[in-house]
Amino acid sequence: MNPPSLNNTPVWDDGAWRTLAPQASDLTTDVCVIGLGGSGLTAVSELLDLGRRVIGIDAADVAAGAAGRNGGFLLGGTADFHHDAGTAIGRARALRIHQLTLEEIGRIAAQAPGTVRFPGSLRIAESDEEFADCARQRDAMRADRMPVEDYDGQFGRGLFFPGDASFNPLARCRALAMSNVARGAQLFAKTRAISFSANEVVTDRGRINCDTVIVAVDGKLESLVPELAGTVRTARLQMLATAPTREIEVPCPVYARYGFDYYQQLPDGSIALGGGRDKSIDTEWTTENEPSLFIQNYLESVLREKIRVSAPITHRWAANVSYTFNGLPVLAEVRPGVWVLGGYSGTGNAVGALCGRAAAHLASGGTTEFARLLTEK
Ligand SMILES: Cc1cc2nc3c(=O)[nH]c(=O)nc-3n(C[C@H](O)[C@H](O)[C@H](O)COP(=O)(O)OP(=O)(O)OC[C@H]3O[C@@H](n4cnc5c(N)ncnc54)[C@H](O)[C@@H]3O)c2cc1C
């Protein structure tokens, strides 16, 4: 289905990146970070702040997975809406986690200048039942003094969240990688971890001796860390993007149908649209990461019939993420000295960075408030 121009390349890729070199010899460091997406790169940055020596490796390239191939939404909170999170994990805990994600979005903007915008975001209800759920979310947020407004306008009815943001996820990761290298981290692309314990990572290029390992991989996490089979499950998420267009003005990211569909307009006018996983849920629990005809046809129907955009489609792509059963991410020492983070249930941009920062502290004998909140019973 994909002619070369639609060949699983995200709209974020401007083609200007020169990939990092692979590992060329056996090495020694304090901490080895496996996975150079947004979460792993944030862990590297925090480890540098803590004065640790760091080596980071990626089997493919910086942000080659979901971190560079996502919808670019930077939303407060975890995968659950605030009222659902309050029910699942307790109101005070959900509120504090939400506040920490909003603070993290500010840090992401500071770390990768020019990649983040702060237009807020919309949640749009597609049924009366979903509109009633929006009201429950609004009431829970207002009760916790969180910023939220009713919305009734061009895109439908729902809620507006003024604190949310959007970004170019690939540009953000590339900027963070370059800043980490400039600050002394050794980062290698095309270097796959084959096996790991606290003291050694064996890669397809050699060995890395270290004190501690951080595994920062979202998609296919259960394949890399078999201990997490039963805790996380890999899914495929898909997107498409159009050529720049001014036939519509979308002022901020839009989250519709309980977040199963999502779109935003980029600064050049392109529409980036994702979702539809629930339309073929069995086929989308997969480690395959190529776009599928069925979901792409669904996304195209949303683009043409709901958003009413006729601009040509220039990009179609997919990537893997992993889901947990309680909506909270994994942040755990799965083997002595091996910390693993992932399982963001489709919303890992801000939460992944918080987990990366927390893992850096845990790997250095400390902790963070976010880590404590995650492990609270
Ligand atoms: C289409 C799509 C849309 C999404 N939209 C949003 C959104 O709008 N907002 C949001 O918050 N979240 C969104 N997400 C989820 C979000 O992208 C992810 O949760 C997040 O980016 C995960 O980043 P990460 O750094 O933790 O992991 P990953 O992006 O999975 O990065 C892991 C890295 O590890 C590398 N790797 C894997 N195995 C090995 C190995 N053995 N050795 C070395 N390296 C290895 C990979 O090459 C990869 O680069 C979306 C995801 C997708 C796919």
Side-chain angles (χ1 to χ4, degrees), residues 34-39 58-61 64-67 69-73 191-193 216-219 224 237 239 262 319 321 344 346-349:
I34 299 172
L36 297 178
S39 312
D58 198 290
D61 202 350
R69 307 171 67 79
N70 64 65
F73 286 36
T191 303
R192 177 178 295 278
V217 172
D218 191 11
L224 188 59
L237 302 181
M239 296 195 69
Y262 44 92
V321 297
Y344 307 114
T347 54
N349 284 332

PDB file of all heavy atoms in Angstrom, residues 34-39 58-61 64-67 69-73 191-193 216-219 224 237 239 262 319 321 344 346-349, ligand 1:
ATOM      1  N   ILE A  34      19.776   1.657  28.032  1.00  0.00           N
ATOM      2  CA  ILE A  34      19.385   0.947  26.808  1.00  0.00           C
ATOM      3  C   ILE A  34      18.102   1.582  26.286  1.00  0.00           C
ATOM      4  O   ILE A  34      17.068   1.562  26.949  1.00  0.00           O
ATOM      5  CB  ILE A  34      19.150  -0.551  27.112  1.00  0.00           C
ATOM      6  CG1 ILE A  34      20.436  -1.192  27.643  1.00  0.00           C
ATOM      7  CG2 ILE A  34      18.647  -1.278  25.863  1.00  0.00           C
ATOM      8  CD1 ILE A  34      20.243  -2.616  28.160  1.00  0.00           C
ATOM      9  N   GLY A  35      18.185   2.166  25.082  1.00  0.00           N
ATOM     10  CA  GLY A  35      17.008   2.815  24.487  1.00  0.00           C
ATOM     11  C   GLY A  35      17.151   4.316  24.507  1.00  0.00           C
ATOM     12  O   GLY A  35      17.153   4.932  25.584  1.00  0.00           O
ATOM     13  N   LEU A  36      17.263   4.923  23.333  1.00  0.00           N
ATOM     14  CA  LEU A  36      17.443   6.379  23.249  1.00  0.00           C
ATOM     15  C   LEU A  36      16.200   7.054  22.675  1.00  0.00           C
ATOM     16  O   LEU A  36      16.259   7.825  21.718  1.00  0.00           O
ATOM     17  CB  LEU A  36      18.691   6.705  22.424  1.00  0.00           C
ATOM     18  CG  LEU A  36      20.008   6.188  23.027  1.00  0.00           C
ATOM     19  CD1 LEU A  36      21.193   6.527  22.117  1.00  0.00           C
ATOM     20  CD2 LEU A  36      20.236   6.743  24.438  1.00  0.00           C
ATOM     21  N   GLY A  37      15.041   6.741  23.258  1.00  0.00           N
ATOM     22  CA  GLY A  37      13.830   7.534  23.019  1.00  0.00           C
ATOM     23  C   GLY A  37      13.790   8.654  24.047  1.00  0.00           C
ATOM     24  O   GLY A  37      14.768   8.911  24.770  1.00  0.00           O
ATOM     25  N   GLY A  38      12.643   9.323  24.148  1.00  0.00           N
ATOM     26  CA  GLY A  38      12.535  10.442  25.078  1.00  0.00           C
ATOM     27  C   GLY A  38      12.798  10.039  26.523  1.00  0.00           C
ATOM     28  O   GLY A  38      13.393  10.809  27.297  1.00  0.00           O
ATOM     29  N   SER A  39      12.381   8.832  26.903  1.00  0.00           N
ATOM     30  CA  SER A  39      12.557   8.400  28.291  1.00  0.00           C
ATOM     31  C   SER A  39      14.030   8.126  28.593  1.00  0.00           C
ATOM     32  O   SER A  39      14.575   8.586  29.608  1.00  0.00           O
ATOM     33  CB  SER A  39      11.725   7.138  28.557  1.00  0.00           C
ATOM     34  OG  SER A  39      10.418   7.294  28.079  1.00  0.00           O
ATOM     35  N   ASP A  58      21.318   2.519  21.350  1.00  0.00           N
ATOM     36  CA  ASP A  58      20.027   2.248  20.711  1.00  0.00           C
ATOM     37  C   ASP A  58      20.232   1.257  19.565  1.00  0.00           C
ATOM     38  O   ASP A  58      21.164   1.406  18.769  1.00  0.00           O
ATOM     39  CB  ASP A  58      19.382   3.532  20.169  1.00  0.00           C
ATOM     40  CG  ASP A  58      17.893   3.336  19.926  1.00  0.00           C
ATOM     41  OD1 ASP A  58      17.536   2.591  18.975  1.00  0.00           O
ATOM     42  OD2 ASP A  58      17.091   3.872  20.707  1.00  0.00           O
ATOM     43  N   ALA A  59      19.350   0.277  19.513  1.00  0.00           N
ATOM     44  CA  ALA A  59      19.451  -0.757  18.475  1.00  0.00           C
ATOM     45  C   ALA A  59      19.349  -0.147  17.084  1.00  0.00           C
ATOM     46  O   ALA A  59      19.955  -0.660  16.134  1.00  0.00           O
ATOM     47  CB  ALA A  59      18.343  -1.788  18.667  1.00  0.00           C
ATOM     48  N   ALA A  60      18.606   0.933  16.953  1.00  0.00           N
ATOM     49  CA  ALA A  60      18.419   1.568  15.642  1.00  0.00           C
ATOM     50  C   ALA A  60      19.035   2.963  15.661  1.00  0.00           C
ATOM     51  O   ALA A  60      20.169   3.158  15.222  1.00  0.00           O
ATOM     52  CB  ALA A  60      16.942   1.613  15.290  1.00  0.00           C
ATOM     53  N   ASP A  61      18.306   3.931  16.201  1.00  0.00           N
ATOM     54  CA  ASP A  61      18.787   5.315  16.186  1.00  0.00           C
ATOM     55  C   ASP A  61      18.032   6.104  17.258  1.00  0.00           C
ATOM     56  O   ASP A  61      17.044   5.610  17.817  1.00  0.00           O
ATOM     57  CB  ASP A  61      18.516   5.930  14.802  1.00  0.00           C
ATOM     58  CG  ASP A  61      19.415   7.120  14.500  1.00  0.00           C
ATOM     59  OD1 ASP A  61      20.118   7.596  15.424  1.00  0.00           O
ATOM     60  OD2 ASP A  61      19.401   7.580  13.360  1.00  0.00           O
ATOM     61  N   ALA A  64      14.047   6.205  17.291  1.00  0.00           N
ATOM     62  CA  ALA A  64      13.609   5.370  16.170  1.00  0.00           C
ATOM     63  C   ALA A  64      12.274   4.688  16.471  1.00  0.00           C
ATOM     64  O   ALA A  64      11.580   4.248  15.564  1.00  0.00           O
ATOM     65  CB  ALA A  64      14.667   4.309  15.867  1.00  0.00           C
ATOM     66  N   GLY A  65      11.916   4.580  17.749  1.00  0.00           N
ATOM     67  CA  GLY A  65      10.651   3.951  18.140  1.00  0.00           C
ATOM     68  C   GLY A  65       9.553   4.995  18.296  1.00  0.00           C
ATOM     69  O   GLY A  65       9.569   6.062  17.656  1.00  0.00           O
ATOM     70  N   ALA A  66       8.609   4.708  19.185  1.00  0.00           N
ATOM     71  CA  ALA A  66       7.443   5.581  19.362  1.00  0.00           C
ATOM     72  C   ALA A  66       7.841   7.012  19.712  1.00  0.00           C
ATOM     73  O   ALA A  66       7.141   7.967  19.346  1.00  0.00           O
ATOM     74  CB  ALA A  66       6.538   5.015  20.457  1.00  0.00           C
ATOM     75  N   ALA A  67       8.971   7.178  20.401  1.00  0.00           N
ATOM     76  CA  ALA A  67       9.354   8.518  20.860  1.00  0.00           C
ATOM     77  C   ALA A  67       9.516   9.514  19.718  1.00  0.00           C
ATOM     78  O   ALA A  67       9.324  10.714  19.918  1.00  0.00           O
ATOM     79  CB  ALA A  67      10.631   8.432  21.688  1.00  0.00           C
ATOM     80  N   ARG A  69       7.887   8.965  16.716  1.00  0.00           N
ATOM     81  CA  ARG A  69       6.881   8.601  15.720  1.00  0.00           C
ATOM     82  C   ARG A  69       5.475   8.765  16.280  1.00  0.00           C
ATOM     83  O   ARG A  69       4.542   8.109  15.828  1.00  0.00           O
ATOM     84  CB  ARG A  69       7.085   7.136  15.296  1.00  0.00           C
ATOM     85  CG  ARG A  69       8.509   6.838  14.836  1.00  0.00           C
ATOM     86  CD  ARG A  69       8.754   5.351  14.628  1.00  0.00           C
ATOM     87  NE  ARG A  69       7.993   4.842  13.510  1.00  0.00           N
ATOM     88  CZ  ARG A  69       8.320   4.991  12.232  1.00  0.00           C
ATOM     89  NH1 ARG A  69       9.439   5.622  11.914  1.00  0.00           N
ATOM     90  NH2 ARG A  69       7.573   4.520  11.266  1.00  0.00           N
ATOM     91  N   ASN A  70       5.310   9.633  17.278  1.00  0.00           N
ATOM     92  CA  ASN A  70       3.998   9.716  17.940  1.00  0.00           C
ATOM     93  C   ASN A  70       3.203  10.947  17.492  1.00  0.00           C
ATOM     94  O   ASN A  70       3.585  11.669  16.578  1.00  0.00           O
ATOM     95  CB  ASN A  70       4.151   9.612  19.465  1.00  0.00           C
ATOM     96  CG  ASN A  70       4.920  10.743  20.076  1.00  0.00           C
ATOM     97  OD1 ASN A  70       4.479  11.886  20.052  1.00  0.00           O
ATOM     98  ND2 ASN A  70       6.099  10.443  20.621  1.00  0.00           N
ATOM     99  N   GLY A  71       2.094  11.185  18.206  1.00  0.00           N
ATOM    100  CA  GLY A  71       1.181  12.252  17.815  1.00  0.00           C
ATOM    101  C   GLY A  71       1.624  13.638  18.227  1.00  0.00           C
ATOM    102  O   GLY A  71       1.035  14.635  17.806  1.00  0.00           O
ATOM    103  N   GLY A  72       2.646  13.712  19.084  1.00  0.00           N
ATOM    104  CA  GLY A  72       3.159  15.012  19.497  1.00  0.00           C
ATOM    105  C   GLY A  72       2.313  15.719  20.539  1.00  0.00           C
ATOM    106  O   GLY A  72       2.452  16.926  20.753  1.00  0.00           O
ATOM    107  N   PHE A  73       1.430  14.968  21.226  1.00  0.00           N
ATOM    108  CA  PHE A  73       0.633  15.569  22.303  1.00  0.00           C
ATOM    109  C   PHE A  73       1.440  15.512  23.590  1.00  0.00           C
ATOM    110  O   PHE A  73       2.023  14.477  23.918  1.00  0.00           O
ATOM    111  CB  PHE A  73      -0.658  14.780  22.544  1.00  0.00           C
ATOM    112  CG  PHE A  73      -1.722  14.950  21.499  1.00  0.00           C
ATOM    113  CD1 PHE A  73      -1.413  15.092  20.163  1.00  0.00           C
ATOM    114  CD2 PHE A  73      -3.061  14.941  21.863  1.00  0.00           C
ATOM    115  CE1 PHE A  73      -2.407  15.235  19.190  1.00  0.00           C
ATOM    116  CE2 PHE A  73      -4.065  15.086  20.915  1.00  0.00           C
ATOM    117  CZ  PHE A  73      -3.742  15.227  19.574  1.00  0.00           C
ATOM    118  N   THR A 191      23.363  -0.182  17.899  1.00  0.00           N
ATOM    119  CA  THR A 191      24.024  -0.996  18.923  1.00  0.00           C
ATOM    120  C   THR A 191      22.932  -1.628  19.778  1.00  0.00           C
ATOM    121  O   THR A 191      22.290  -0.958  20.587  1.00  0.00           O
ATOM    122  CB  THR A 191      24.959  -0.119  19.784  1.00  0.00           C
ATOM    123  OG1 THR A 191      25.903   0.532  18.917  1.00  0.00           O
ATOM    124  CG2 THR A 191      25.683  -0.939  20.840  1.00  0.00           C
ATOM    125  N   ARG A 192      22.710  -2.899  19.554  1.00  0.00           N
ATOM    126  CA  ARG A 192      21.582  -3.597  20.201  1.00  0.00           C
ATOM    127  C   ARG A 192      22.035  -4.336  21.453  1.00  0.00           C
ATOM    128  O   ARG A 192      23.037  -5.055  21.423  1.00  0.00           O
ATOM    129  CB  ARG A 192      20.980  -4.608  19.216  1.00  0.00           C
ATOM    130  CG  ARG A 192      19.838  -5.444  19.788  1.00  0.00           C
ATOM    131  CD  ARG A 192      19.270  -6.383  18.749  1.00  0.00           C
ATOM    132  NE  ARG A 192      18.650  -5.661  17.655  1.00  0.00           N
ATOM    133  CZ  ARG A 192      17.412  -5.160  17.682  1.00  0.00           C
ATOM    134  NH1 ARG A 192      16.662  -5.333  18.768  1.00  0.00           N
ATOM    135  NH2 ARG A 192      16.928  -4.513  16.654  1.00  0.00           N
ATOM    136  N   ALA A 193      21.326  -4.138  22.552  1.00  0.00           N
ATOM    137  CA  ALA A 193      21.586  -4.923  23.768  1.00  0.00           C
ATOM    138  C   ALA A 193      21.063  -6.338  23.534  1.00  0.00           C
ATOM    139  O   ALA A 193      19.896  -6.528  23.200  1.00  0.00           O
ATOM    140  CB  ALA A 193      20.881  -4.296  24.961  1.00  0.00           C
ATOM    141  N   ALA A 216      15.128   1.576  28.957  1.00  0.00           N
ATOM    142  CA  ALA A 216      14.076   2.575  28.674  1.00  0.00           C
ATOM    143  C   ALA A 216      13.473   2.284  27.308  1.00  0.00           C
ATOM    144  O   ALA A 216      13.781   2.951  26.314  1.00  0.00           O
ATOM    145  CB  ALA A 216      14.660   3.987  28.728  1.00  0.00           C
ATOM    146  N   VAL A 217      12.647   1.268  27.259  1.00  0.00           N
ATOM    147  CA  VAL A 217      12.065   0.793  26.005  1.00  0.00           C
ATOM    148  C   VAL A 217      10.569   0.613  26.229  1.00  0.00           C
ATOM    149  O   VAL A 217      10.165  -0.101  27.147  1.00  0.00           O
ATOM    150  CB  VAL A 217      12.717  -0.549  25.592  1.00  0.00           C
ATOM    151  CG1 VAL A 217      11.993  -1.147  24.395  1.00  0.00           C
ATOM    152  CG2 VAL A 217      14.194  -0.352  25.274  1.00  0.00           C
ATOM    153  N   ASP A 218       9.741   1.255  25.399  1.00  0.00           N
ATOM    154  CA  ASP A 218       8.290   1.137  25.581  1.00  0.00           C
ATOM    155  C   ASP A 218       7.751  -0.021  24.733  1.00  0.00           C
ATOM    156  O   ASP A 218       7.319  -1.048  25.265  1.00  0.00           O
ATOM    157  CB  ASP A 218       7.633   2.480  25.219  1.00  0.00           C
ATOM    158  CG  ASP A 218       6.165   2.546  25.618  1.00  0.00           C
ATOM    159  OD1 ASP A 218       5.711   1.650  26.362  1.00  0.00           O
ATOM    160  OD2 ASP A 218       5.465   3.485  25.183  1.00  0.00           O
ATOM    161  N   GLY A 219       7.803   0.116  23.397  1.00  0.00           N
ATOM    162  CA  GLY A 219       7.281  -0.944  22.540  1.00  0.00           C
ATOM    163  C   GLY A 219       8.126  -2.207  22.624  1.00  0.00           C
ATOM    164  O   GLY A 219       9.348  -2.135  22.673  1.00  0.00           O
ATOM    165  N   LEU A 224      12.056  -7.850  25.413  1.00  0.00           N
ATOM    166  CA  LEU A 224      13.404  -7.553  25.911  1.00  0.00           C
ATOM    167  C   LEU A 224      13.553  -7.932  27.378  1.00  0.00           C
ATOM    168  O   LEU A 224      14.629  -8.344  27.816  1.00  0.00           O
ATOM    169  CB  LEU A 224      13.674  -6.050  25.718  1.00  0.00           C
ATOM    170  CG  LEU A 224      15.081  -5.544  25.996  1.00  0.00           C
ATOM    171  CD1 LEU A 224      16.099  -6.252  25.095  1.00  0.00           C
ATOM    172  CD2 LEU A 224      15.153  -4.033  25.776  1.00  0.00           C
ATOM    173  N   LEU A 237       0.354   1.450  17.165  1.00  0.00           N
ATOM    174  CA  LEU A 237      -0.445   2.668  16.966  1.00  0.00           C
ATOM    175  C   LEU A 237      -0.065   3.255  15.611  1.00  0.00           C
ATOM    176  O   LEU A 237       1.108   3.208  15.213  1.00  0.00           O
ATOM    177  CB  LEU A 237      -0.185   3.685  18.080  1.00  0.00           C
ATOM    178  CG  LEU A 237      -0.457   3.226  19.517  1.00  0.00           C
ATOM    179  CD1 LEU A 237      -0.173   4.354  20.500  1.00  0.00           C
ATOM    180  CD2 LEU A 237      -1.880   2.721  19.689  1.00  0.00           C
ATOM    181  N   MET A 239      -0.600   6.350  12.384  1.00  0.00           N
ATOM    182  CA  MET A 239      -0.914   7.745  12.064  1.00  0.00           C
ATOM    183  C   MET A 239      -0.805   7.990  10.563  1.00  0.00           C
ATOM    184  O   MET A 239      -0.238   7.180   9.828  1.00  0.00           O
ATOM    185  CB  MET A 239       0.043   8.692  12.791  1.00  0.00           C
ATOM    186  CG  MET A 239      -0.076   8.625  14.294  1.00  0.00           C
ATOM    187  SD  MET A 239       0.724  10.011  15.128  1.00  0.00           S
ATOM    188  CE  MET A 239      -0.343  11.362  14.672  1.00  0.00           C
ATOM    189  N   TYR A 262      -7.059  11.085  17.474  1.00  0.00           N
ATOM    190  CA  TYR A 262      -6.389  12.313  17.911  1.00  0.00           C
ATOM    191  C   TYR A 262      -5.739  12.986  16.703  1.00  0.00           C
ATOM    192  O   TYR A 262      -5.274  12.316  15.780  1.00  0.00           O
ATOM    193  CB  TYR A 262      -5.342  12.007  18.997  1.00  0.00           C
ATOM    194  CG  TYR A 262      -4.483  10.796  18.718  1.00  0.00           C
ATOM    195  CD1 TYR A 262      -3.271  10.909  18.066  1.00  0.00           C
ATOM    196  CD2 TYR A 262      -4.904   9.525  19.110  1.00  0.00           C
ATOM    197  CE1 TYR A 262      -2.490   9.798  17.806  1.00  0.00           C
ATOM    198  CE2 TYR A 262      -4.137   8.401  18.844  1.00  0.00           C
ATOM    199  CZ  TYR A 262      -2.935   8.546  18.192  1.00  0.00           C
ATOM    200  OH  TYR A 262      -2.175   7.423  17.911  1.00  0.00           O
ATOM    201  N   ALA A 319       4.066   2.594  14.915  1.00  0.00           N
ATOM    202  CA  ALA A 319       5.124   2.240  15.869  1.00  0.00           C
ATOM    203  C   ALA A 319       4.489   1.460  17.016  1.00  0.00           C
ATOM    204  O   ALA A 319       3.266   1.429  17.154  1.00  0.00           O
ATOM    205  CB  ALA A 319       5.835   3.495  16.395  1.00  0.00           C
ATOM    206  N   VAL A 321       4.015   0.541  21.122  1.00  0.00           N
ATOM    207  CA  VAL A 321       4.061   1.006  22.512  1.00  0.00           C
ATOM    208  C   VAL A 321       3.625  -0.182  23.368  1.00  0.00           C
ATOM    209  O   VAL A 321       3.136  -1.176  22.841  1.00  0.00           O
ATOM    210  CB  VAL A 321       3.093   2.189  22.760  1.00  0.00           C
ATOM    211  CG1 VAL A 321       3.482   3.389  21.928  1.00  0.00           C
ATOM    212  CG2 VAL A 321       1.654   1.786  22.484  1.00  0.00           C
ATOM    213  N   TYR A 344       3.594   2.876  28.957  1.00  0.00           N
ATOM    214  CA  TYR A 344       2.904   4.165  29.159  1.00  0.00           C
ATOM    215  C   TYR A 344       1.477   4.164  28.609  1.00  0.00           C
ATOM    216  O   TYR A 344       0.821   5.210  28.596  1.00  0.00           O
ATOM    217  CB  TYR A 344       3.729   5.304  28.539  1.00  0.00           C
ATOM    218  CG  TYR A 344       5.156   5.304  29.033  1.00  0.00           C
ATOM    219  CD1 TYR A 344       6.216   5.029  28.167  1.00  0.00           C
ATOM    220  CD2 TYR A 344       5.443   5.507  30.385  1.00  0.00           C
ATOM    221  CE1 TYR A 344       7.521   4.978  28.631  1.00  0.00           C
ATOM    222  CE2 TYR A 344       6.744   5.453  30.851  1.00  0.00           C
ATOM    223  CZ  TYR A 344       7.778   5.190  29.966  1.00  0.00           C
ATOM    224  OH  TYR A 344       9.068   5.130  30.424  1.00  0.00           O
ATOM    225  N   GLY A 346       0.148   4.328  25.762  1.00  0.00           N
ATOM    226  CA  GLY A 346      -0.162   5.247  24.666  1.00  0.00           C
ATOM    227  C   GLY A 346       0.062   6.714  24.958  1.00  0.00           C
ATOM    228  O   GLY A 346      -0.108   7.547  24.078  1.00  0.00           O
ATOM    229  N   THR A 347       0.475   7.048  26.185  1.00  0.00           N
ATOM    230  CA  THR A 347       0.701   8.471  26.512  1.00  0.00           C
ATOM    231  C   THR A 347       2.027   8.621  27.267  1.00  0.00           C
ATOM    232  O   THR A 347       2.028   8.967  28.450  1.00  0.00           O
ATOM    233  CB  THR A 347      -0.425   9.056  27.378  1.00  0.00           C
ATOM    234  OG1 THR A 347      -0.573   8.227  28.532  1.00  0.00           O
ATOM    235  CG2 THR A 347      -1.725   9.120  26.651  1.00  0.00           C
ATOM    236  N   GLY A 348       3.128   8.393  26.568  1.00  0.00           N
ATOM    237  CA  GLY A 348       4.423   8.329  27.260  1.00  0.00           C
ATOM    238  C   GLY A 348       5.314   9.540  27.115  1.00  0.00           C
ATOM    239  O   GLY A 348       6.441   9.517  27.612  1.00  0.00           O
ATOM    240  N   ASN A 349       4.837  10.601  26.456  1.00  0.00           N
ATOM    241  CA  ASN A 349       5.778  11.700  26.229  1.00  0.00           C
ATOM    242  C   ASN A 349       6.196  12.385  27.529  1.00  0.00           C
ATOM    243  O   ASN A 349       7.392  12.511  27.811  1.00  0.00           O
ATOM    244  CB  ASN A 349       5.167  12.711  25.263  1.00  0.00           C
ATOM    245  CG  ASN A 349       5.187  12.212  23.826  1.00  0.00           C
ATOM    246  OD1 ASN A 349       6.061  11.426  23.448  1.00  0.00           O
ATOM    247  ND2 ASN A 349       4.229  12.641  23.025  1.00  0.00           N
TER     248      ASN A 349
HETATM  249  C1  LIG B   1       1.473   6.538  16.690  1.00  0.00           C
HETATM  250  C2  LIG B   1       1.714   6.895  18.135  1.00  0.00           C
HETATM  251  C3  LIG B   1       1.123   8.024  18.652  1.00  0.00           C
HETATM  252  C4  LIG B   1       1.350   8.369  19.993  1.00  0.00           C
HETATM  253  N1  LIG B   1       0.924   9.577  20.434  1.00  0.00           N
HETATM  254  C5  LIG B   1       1.291  10.017  21.651  1.00  0.00           C
HETATM  255  C6  LIG B   1       0.998  11.332  22.054  1.00  0.00           C
HETATM  256  O1  LIG B   1       0.475  12.153  21.279  1.00  0.00           O
HETATM  257  N2  LIG B   1       1.345  11.718  23.330  1.00  0.00           N
HETATM  258  C7  LIG B   1       1.983  10.863  24.166  1.00  0.00           C
HETATM  259  O2  LIG B   1       2.266  11.252  25.312  1.00  0.00           O
HETATM  260  N3  LIG B   1       2.339   9.626  23.785  1.00  0.00           N
HETATM  261  C8  LIG B   1       2.025   9.184  22.547  1.00  0.00           C
HETATM  262  N4  LIG B   1       2.405   7.947  22.129  1.00  0.00           N
HETATM  263  C9  LIG B   1       3.170   7.105  23.064  1.00  0.00           C
HETATM  264  C10 LIG B   1       4.614   7.595  23.165  1.00  0.00           C
HETATM  265  O3  LIG B   1       5.114   7.834  21.875  1.00  0.00           O
HETATM  266  C11 LIG B   1       5.499   6.553  23.836  1.00  0.00           C
HETATM  267  O4  LIG B   1       4.911   6.100  25.034  1.00  0.00           O
HETATM  268  C12 LIG B   1       6.858   7.143  24.181  1.00  0.00           C
HETATM  269  O5  LIG B   1       7.356   7.875  23.090  1.00  0.00           O
HETATM  270  C13 LIG B   1       7.829   6.043  24.548  1.00  0.00           C
HETATM  271  O6  LIG B   1       9.143   6.557  24.523  1.00  0.00           O
HETATM  272  P1  LIG B   1      10.326   5.720  25.158  1.00  0.00           P
HETATM  273  O7  LIG B   1      11.539   6.532  25.039  1.00  0.00           O
HETATM  274  O8  LIG B   1       9.924   5.279  26.514  1.00  0.00           O
HETATM  275  O9  LIG B   1      10.412   4.372  24.341  1.00  0.00           O
HETATM  276  P2  LIG B   1      10.591   4.046  22.787  1.00  0.00           P
HETATM  277  O10 LIG B   1      10.139   5.141  21.932  1.00  0.00           O
HETATM  278  O11 LIG B   1       9.949   2.700  22.625  1.00  0.00           O
HETATM  279  O12 LIG B   1      12.154   3.966  22.595  1.00  0.00           O
HETATM  280  C14 LIG B   1      12.882   2.832  22.871  1.00  0.00           C
HETATM  281  C15 LIG B   1      14.159   2.827  22.059  1.00  0.00           C
HETATM  282  O13 LIG B   1      14.849   1.626  22.439  1.00  0.00           O
HETATM  283  C16 LIG B   1      15.432   1.066  21.301  1.00  0.00           C
HETATM  284  N5  LIG B   1      15.616  -0.365  21.578  1.00  0.00           N
HETATM  285  C17 LIG B   1      14.690  -1.342  21.613  1.00  0.00           C
HETATM  286  N6  LIG B   1      15.260  -2.536  21.923  1.00  0.00           N
HETATM  287  C18 LIG B   1      16.581  -2.284  22.106  1.00  0.00           C
HETATM  288  C19 LIG B   1      17.702  -3.107  22.414  1.00  0.00           C
HETATM  289  N7  LIG B   1      17.586  -4.430  22.592  1.00  0.00           N
HETATM  290  N8  LIG B   1      18.909  -2.516  22.509  1.00  0.00           N
HETATM  291  C20 LIG B   1      19.061  -1.182  22.326  1.00  0.00           C
HETATM  292  N9  LIG B   1      18.030  -0.382  22.007  1.00  0.00           N
HETATM  293  C21 LIG B   1      16.816  -0.914  21.898  1.00  0.00           C
HETATM  294  C22 LIG B   1      14.475   1.376  20.168  1.00  0.00           C
HETATM  295  O14 LIG B   1      15.164   1.387  18.916  1.00  0.00           O
HETATM  296  C23 LIG B   1      13.938   2.736  20.554  1.00  0.00           C
HETATM  297  O15 LIG B   1      14.632   3.796  19.924  1.00  0.00           O
HETATM  298  C24 LIG B   1       2.162   7.549  20.834  1.00  0.00           C
HETATM  299  C25 LIG B   1       2.757   6.413  20.290  1.00  0.00           C
HETATM  300  C26 LIG B   1       2.545   6.077  18.962  1.00  0.00           C
HETATM  301  C27 LIG B   1       3.211   4.854  18.390  1.00  0.00           C
END
